[in-house]
Amino acid sequence: GAVVSQHPSWVICKSGTSVKIECRSLDFQATTMFWYRQFPKQSLMLMATSNEGSKATYEQGVEKDKFLINHASLTLSTLTVTSAHPEDSSFYICSAPPRQGRETQYFGPGTRLLVL
Amino acid sequence: SQKIEQNSEALNIQEGKTATLTCNYTNYSPAYLQWYRQDPGRGPVFLLLIRENEKEKRKERLKVTFDTTLKQSLFHITASQPADSATYLCAPSDNYGQNFVFGPGTRLSVLP
């Protein structure tokens, strides 16, 4: 099946620094990728939809200037958490549909971010 | 606004029994509904997809039903095993994966 990877798997940073998370589709091309955030014992919340070659679409309440998304190629999308604060500590997961029109999404393993 | 509910936050059952998880949705008419499994600290893994014109879908020990009148999907695991212990998420969606929203999940524990 389709494989999506994320890097890093976990990161600890100081408050005020920026953190970049990479999401890669390993064996397929993804014109669209999705970024989710999951707090402990809660479900996944969609943050934004990343579109290759164009601007990302952010969900209501998600600050686009704080969560920068770049989808520069058909296999890579990045999420940068700028000026991270402790409340940004969470589990960030990306996903991608294997091909256009395919309903199922394939998820990356997630990145755990801890901001001190 | 759309609302998705899963029957309980946690469900404990004995090994060998059938686990039944419920997903209810309101203010929504999904074209299909998916079920995912999520283990702690991992991303969700796709299990089954059922379309609005399908009543039932099976895959090995898994069975999903979809009742668009009741606005409900049931997810069954027969002959449950401790390895089935995980959080199960339902995700209704409209066509082509648009408006893809996850339910809060049910944490299933299968006791040996």
Side-chain angles (χ1 to χ4, degrees):
Chain A
V3 178
V4 175
S5 70
Q6 279 185 244
H7 179 79
S9 56
W10 60 270
V11 58
I12 301 173
C13 69
K14 292 183 178 181
S15 184
T17 60
S18 294
V19 174
K20 179 185 284 188
I21 302 170
E22 294 184 348
C23 177
R24 293 182 185 273
S25 56
L26 298 185
D27 51 359
F28 65 97
Q29 294 182 332
T31 56
T32 301
M33 289 184 175
F34 302 93
W35 286 96
Y36 294 83
R37 180 168 51 182
Q38 186 176 34
F39 292 105
K41 296 191 177 182
Q42 294 187 26
S43 192
L44 286 77
M45 297 299 296
L46 180 64
M47 298 176 65
T49 301
S50 170
N51 302 299
E52 188 268 336
S54 64
K55 291 183 178 180
T57 304
Y58 290 82
E59 296 299 303
Q60 191 173 9
V62 178
E63 300 175 57
K64 61 180 181 180
D65 294 330
K66 181 169 183 62
F67 298 99
L68 301 180
I69 291 174
N70 184 287
H71 195 149
S73 77
L74 289 173
T75 59
L76 174 64
S77 174
T78 60
L79 168 68
T80 301
V81 183
T82 63
S83 186
H85 288 95
E87 58 265 31
D88 298 323
S89 298
S90 188
F91 192 49
Y92 293 86
I93 309 173
C94 70
S95 74
R99 63 173 186 262
Q100 188 174 4
R102 176 70 180 269
E103 304 95 346
T104 302
Q105 294 191 34
Y106 290 92
F107 286 83
T111 297
R112 186 160 301 284
L113 170 64
L114 177 60
V115 184
L116 302 176
Chain B
S1 62
Q2 300 168 7
K3 188 174 181 181
I4 303 167
E5 296 177 316
Q6 292 190 237
N7 56 327
S8 57
E9 184 178 331
L11 178 65
N12 297 328
I13 64 167
Q14 208 65 38
E15 182 177 6
K17 301 292 185 182
T18 296
T20 298
L21 285 63
T22 304
C23 176
N24 294 289
Y25 55 91
T26 55
N27 297 325
Y28 197 8
S29 295
Y32 53 88
L33 191 146
Q34 303 182 52
W35 284 88
Y36 287 78
R37 168 181 173 145
Q38 186 177 25
D39 291 286
R42 308 295 297 273
V45 175
F46 170 75
L47 296 175
L48 279 171
L49 178 153
I50 187 166
R51 302 178 191 282
E52 60 181 337
N53 60 349
E54 298 175 320
K55 294 294 184 184
E56 181 180 297
K57 187 75 77 76
R58 290 176 184 262
K59 179 182 177 183
E60 298 173 352
R61 294 185 295 111
L62 309 180
K63 184 179 83 171
V64 173
T65 63
F66 194 7
D67 189 325
T68 55
T69 301
L70 293 178
K71 293 185 180 292
Q72 180 182 80
S73 175
L74 299 179
F75 178 79
H76 305 274
I77 305 176
T78 58
S80 59
Q81 305 166 359
D84 296 326
S85 299
T87 295
Y88 292 86
L89 306 164
C90 72
S93 177
D94 53 22
N95 287 324
Y96 299 106
Q98 300 300 312
N99 215 11
F100 192 95
V101 181
F102 281 95
T106 296
R107 189 172 64 255
L108 175 67
S109 296
V110 181
L111 308 175

